[in-house]
Amino acid sequence: MDARTIEPGQWFLAIAGDNFDAHDFVTLELCKSGCVGVIGNRVCENRDMGFVQIDGDTVISLVKMATFARSRFLGEVIAVTGSVGKTSTKAMIALSLESLKSRIYQIYGNWNNRIGVALSLIDISRNVGIAILETEMSRKGEILELARMGRPDVRVILNVGASHLEKLGSLEEVAMAKGEILQEAKPGDICVVNADDPLVTSLPVHRGVRSGGVCDFWSGYVPFSMRSEFVVAKSGIKIVNDVFSANPVSTKAAIDMLKSIDCTGKRFLFLGTFGIAGKKFNVAAEKMNLIKKINIVHAVDAENLVPKILKCLNINDVVLVMGSRSMQMEKVVDALKAMHRFILHVRRTGIED
């Protein structure tokens, strides 16, 4: 899949996308890396490796391989979907199931689309007892395809939020798209839905499908990096690092977390604008009563935000840093972690020596 990370003995599957064509990386250098063969439409001349030729879209072939891999897997598959919280919930489920003494498989990071789920299914070892998948969508039909590919024994819907409205039009349509994970549940499967979300509970569940309980084994849970990750900097400033991704639902949850943290100074939200202008965010946040007694600093890139931070923080403050991955807001978090108490004192008093 990635010519840069190919290891000796592996095959390379070439995928052509809208902005790239992996066939361009099928070179003699790929042969020298130890790659034993290529699956794709074409290969380079004078190659010294195997070649499985595919006519047409190689992603379709990848999905077929994943479907075959799933048919050979004898363990249980859990699939999680929702507008926010999928990766964290996946980790919490894995932690809860450790007590079963069964080998657990989790997908890498947010491998939650067509290609990522297919690669995950192919990657599952035969000795795994439980595999936990994450499914995402941007249009109707995507989650149904992923569910057909993974055939989960346990199907989880966390919530429905205001994401993908540009393609789906309404929250009800988003709910129906998420609900595709339940459509082909078999008698004996378990469907877990969030009873606190009316849009989720309104989704139809087939008769004969079991309901599942939630286990309380989460005292050892550690959040994924850059997802509501709580750190205390050397300076004493408390930081909520939530820079992996952002949408309206996750933003509200992060701001609620910011409000709940003990603070003897000020509360700050350092926000990399993500698809909406800063002014529009302020208007929406005020209507939702989110930002009372919270200082908000906007920036269009992380480098512009760091100098503003150095001028306004104190050692007793609590900071929430948010933004989409394209904003690289982790640079702001790194700058906050590196700030020492003396630097803060200099900024407050203007003393330079």
Side-chain angles (χ1 to χ4, degrees), residues 69-70 72-77 97 100-106 120-132:
R70 173 64 182 96
R72 298 183 66 196
F73 178 58
L74 302 179
E76 303 290 321
V77 174
L97 295 176
L100 300 179
K101 308 301 181 183
S102 180
R103 186 173 178 186
I104 310 295
Y105 174 88
Q106 296 184 63
S120 298
L121 290 168
I122 294 170
D123 189 51
I124 299 172
S125 300
R126 297 290 293 276
N127 61 346
V128 165
I130 302 172
I132 309 171

Side-chain angles (χ1 to χ4, degrees), residues 61-118:
S61 299
L62 176 65
V63 170
K64 289 180 178 179
M65 286 189 283
T67 303
F68 175 71
R70 173 64 182 96
S71 68
R72 298 183 66 196
F73 178 58
L74 302 179
E76 303 290 321
V77 174
I78 301 172
V80 180
T81 194
S83 295
V84 292
K86 295 182 290 295
T87 303
S88 298
T89 300
K90 178 189 65 181
M92 296 171 83
I93 291 172
L95 181 64
S96 299
L97 295 176
E98 283 180 359
S99 62
L100 300 179
K101 308 301 181 183
S102 180
R103 186 173 178 186
I104 310 295
Y105 174 88
Q106 296 184 63
I107 66 170
Y108 294 106
N110 61 334
W111 277 18
N112 52 24
N113 59 13
R114 190 185 188 196
I115 293 175
V117 171

